[in-house]
């Protein structure tokens, strides 16, 4: 029930934050230095902070859209060494004990970063006088019986990420509630009690499991099992953004029932030099597309709309314009997007709220997409 409520609230906030964050970012970039720009910057900072909280709600509901792929876990940990140390605090020591070679895992870097930082922050609070946090990795292939009965996992190959601290540990009663939303052993003024609940949601959304072992006086240890994959980890090259690199005479059809998001998207596209048409729903979009002087090159559409979904609209327009590219956007969550009316496999997708830079990059990436018949 909490997850459903969190997901619904997060969707509405994502639409609002898309409008606030997008316009604030444009103001910051266009205003001269001074009090007005400082005010716009404050709005932008607050909206980004609110977007982080919204993502926490999505993770809490275990409905965050994960773009999981093959990830080199050791490399991700090494790259995050500094920020983990910052989260841990200067009083404590960070020790890495990584196994090489390590199998790639099915995960996205941002989720792993959230797991590591949340557990590190939890360790920092548990070691106010300082201590040691050890992060280690190991390849694991549990037996089918252990996987199902003990680890609550599908049989297969896994990588175990272990994060152990030297705190005073926690008692059995606290361990039973450790992953519950809003549960905390800290003072009410410290934290929100969401950190470990979010970790639990992330790990399970990635098809893994997490276990905690601790006894008073002997520290606390988290064992995170992540699914291994034989796929090679790759890093996607960033796309250059801006009006010069973006528009080459292409036309974009924008469809979103939220007026703020629709108007922002049109403004960003027009400022980058694209020809833009817009519609409030799928039925109007079909009429608008037919009335356009030239066929649209890109459909930018919300996923869930009254009446016809974004996916259905894309299929109908692709029947008319086979070379049409499609970029979906949504503030909704994974359980809704993964149903039959959600997103097709191999989609181009951008999560609300988005930055101006990411938006322009995703538009260019979608326009460059090559369909088999091309």
């Amino acid at each position: 029930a909490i997850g459903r409520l969190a997901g619904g609230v997060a969707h509405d906030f994502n639409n609002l934050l898309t409008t606030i964050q997008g316009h604030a970012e444009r103001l910051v970039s266009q205003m001269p230095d001074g009090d007005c720009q400082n005010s716009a910057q404050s709005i932008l900072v607050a909206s980004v902070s609110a977007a982080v909280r919204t993502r926490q709600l999505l993770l809490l509901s275990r409905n965050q859209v994960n773009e999981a792929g093959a990830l080199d876990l050791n490399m991700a940990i090494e790259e995050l060494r500094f920020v983990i140390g910052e989260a841990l605090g200067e009083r404590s020591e960070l020790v890495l004990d990584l196994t090489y070679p390590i199998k790639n895992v099915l995960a996205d870097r941002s989720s792993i970063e959230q797991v590591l930082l949340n557990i590190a922050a939890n360790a920092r609070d548990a070691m106010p006088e300082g201590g040691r946090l050890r992060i280690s990795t190991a390849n694991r292939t549990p037996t089918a019986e252990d996987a199902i009965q003990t680890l609550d996992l599908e049989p297969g190959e896994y990588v175990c990420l272990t994060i152990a601290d030297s705190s005073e540990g926690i008692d059995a009663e606290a361990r039973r509630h450790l992953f519950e939303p809003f549960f905390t052993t800290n003072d009410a003024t410290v934290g929100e009690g969401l950190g470990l609940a979010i970790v639990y949601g992330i790990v399970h959304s990635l098809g893994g499991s997490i276990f905690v072992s601790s006894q008073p006086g002997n520290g606390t240890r988290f064992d995170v099992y992540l699914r291994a994959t034989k796929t090679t980890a790759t890093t996607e090259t960033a796309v250059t953004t801006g009006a010069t690199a973006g528009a080459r005479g292409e036309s974009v059809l924008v469809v979103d029932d939220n007026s703020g998001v629709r108007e922002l998207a049109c403004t960003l596209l027009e400022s980058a030099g694209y020809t833009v048409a817009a519609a409030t729903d799928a039925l109007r979009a079909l009429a608008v597309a037919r009335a356009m002087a030239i066929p649209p090159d890109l459909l930018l559409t919300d996923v869930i709309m009254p009446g016809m979904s974004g996916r259905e609209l894309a299929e109908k327009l692709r029947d008319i314009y086979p070379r049409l590219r499609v970029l979906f956007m949504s503030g909704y969550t994974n359980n809704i997007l993964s149903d039959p009316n959600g997103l097709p496999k191999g989609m181009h997708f951008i999560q609300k709220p988005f930055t101006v830079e990411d938006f322009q990059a995703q538009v260019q990436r979608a326009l460059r997409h090559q369909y088999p018949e091309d």
Side-chain angles (χ1 to χ4, degrees):
I2 291 176
R4 288 179 180 273
L5 175 61
V9 170
H11 163 255
D12 290 342
F13 269 84
N14 275 337
N15 276 329
L16 294 171
L17 290 170
T18 299
T19 305
I20 296 170
Q21 185 173 322
H23 285 294
E25 192 172 348
R26 294 188 70 240
L27 287 173
V28 169
S29 66
Q30 295 175 9
M31 280 184 169
D33 294 341
D35 290 341
C36 288
Q37 191 198 56
N38 291 338
S39 295
Q41 182 67 43
S42 296
I43 295 171
L44 179 59
V45 170
S47 66
V48 171
S49 178
V52 171
R53 296 299 180 91
T54 306
R55 284 197 296 272
Q56 289 180 333
L57 288 174
L58 291 173
L59 292 168
L60 174 61
S61 67
R62 284 196 283 170
N63 290 323
Q64 175 70 46
V65 176
N66 290 312
E67 298 179 357
L71 179 73
D72 185 327
L73 185 59
N74 283 352
M75 182 179 294
I77 294 170
E78 289 281 8
E79 290 174 349
L80 292 167
R81 178 196 290 264
F82 176 77
V83 291
I84 296 171
E86 288 292 303
L88 189 59
E90 60 183 15
R91 292 187 178 183
S92 296
E93 177 188 10
L94 175 63
V95 178
L96 301 186
D97 183 17
L98 309 179
T99 296
Y100 290 91
I102 198 73
K103 295 171 183 174
N104 291 331
V105 296
L106 284 173
D108 59 293
R109 189 182 184 280
S110 62
S111 291
I112 296 302
E113 178 179 355
Q114 190 84 57
V115 167
L116 291 167
L117 293 181
N118 282 14
I119 295 180
N122 187 76
R124 177 199 61 213
D125 294 340
M127 302 184 296
E129 302 302 320
R132 176 179 296 173
L133 185 72
R134 181 181 295 274
I135 299 177
S136 58
T137 56
N139 297 310
R140 294 279 187 268
T141 306
T143 64
E145 182 178 357
D146 284 343
I148 296 171
Q149 297 185 6
T150 306
L151 302 176
D152 191 27
L153 295 168
E154 294 290 331
E157 297 181 342
Y158 290 85
V159 172
C160 182
L161 168 64
T162 298
I163 310 167
D165 64 45
S166 60
S167 68
E168 289 300 313
I170 52 179
D171 58 33
E173 179 61 25
R175 286 202 307 275
R176 281 195 288 269
H177 302 284
L178 202 59
F179 297 117
E180 293 178 6
F182 310 112
F183 174 79
T184 179
T185 57
N186 295 325
D187 182 90
T189 60
V190 180
E192 307 138 328
L194 285 176
L196 294 182
I198 289 169
V199 168
Y200 184 91
I202 291 173
V203 172
H204 281 263
S205 73
L206 294 173
S209 285
I210 182 169
F211 303 89
V212 59
S213 56
S214 179
Q215 291 182 349
N218 291 321
T220 301
R221 168 175 167 158
F222 293 88
D223 288 314
V224 179
Y225 284 82
L226 298 168
R227 293 167 59 192
T229 178
K230 295 180 181 179
T231 304
T232 302
T234 58
T235 302
E236 189 174 45
T237 303
V239 178
T240 303
T241 62
T244 302
R248 298 176 182 175
E250 299 98 338
S251 60
V252 183
L253 174 59
V254 179
V255 188
D256 198 305
D257 59 311
N258 183 281
S259 60
V261 175
R262 187 176 63 253
E263 291 167 7
L264 173 66
C266 290
T267 299
L268 295 178
L269 291 166
E270 289 170 349
S271 67
Y274 296 97
T275 300
V276 182
T280 58
D281 57 48
L283 290 177
R284 288 185 176 88
L286 290 170
V288 170
R290 293 189 181 98
M292 292 176 69
I294 57 174
D297 297 292
L298 175 69
L299 170 66
L300 173 65
T301 180
D302 194 16
V303 179
I304 306 298
M305 297 182 291
M308 188 186 303
S309 71
R311 177 173 183 169
E312 292 173 308
L313 171 62
E315 291 173 349
K316 288 182 180 297
L317 285 176
R318 284 274 293 155
D319 287 340
I320 303 171
Y321 310 109
R323 298 175 66 86
L324 178 71
R325 273 62 176 166
V326 181
L327 173 59
F328 293 102
M329 56 182 175
S330 184
Y332 264 116
T333 50
N334 195 34
N335 62 330
I336 296 175
L337 300 184
S338 61
D339 71 18
N341 295 317
L343 301 183
K345 187 176 181 180
M347 65 194 177
H348 288 279
F349 175 80
I350 186 168
Q351 176 73 52
K352 301 175 186 175
F354 41 74
T355 65
V356 172
E357 181 180 6
D358 189 35
F359 177 79
Q360 300 287 16
Q362 292 288 359
V363 167
Q364 291 179 49
R365 188 172 294 120
L367 282 167
R368 287 209 312 265
H369 178 83
Q370 296 295 310
Y371 285 104
E373 59 267 32
D374 289 348

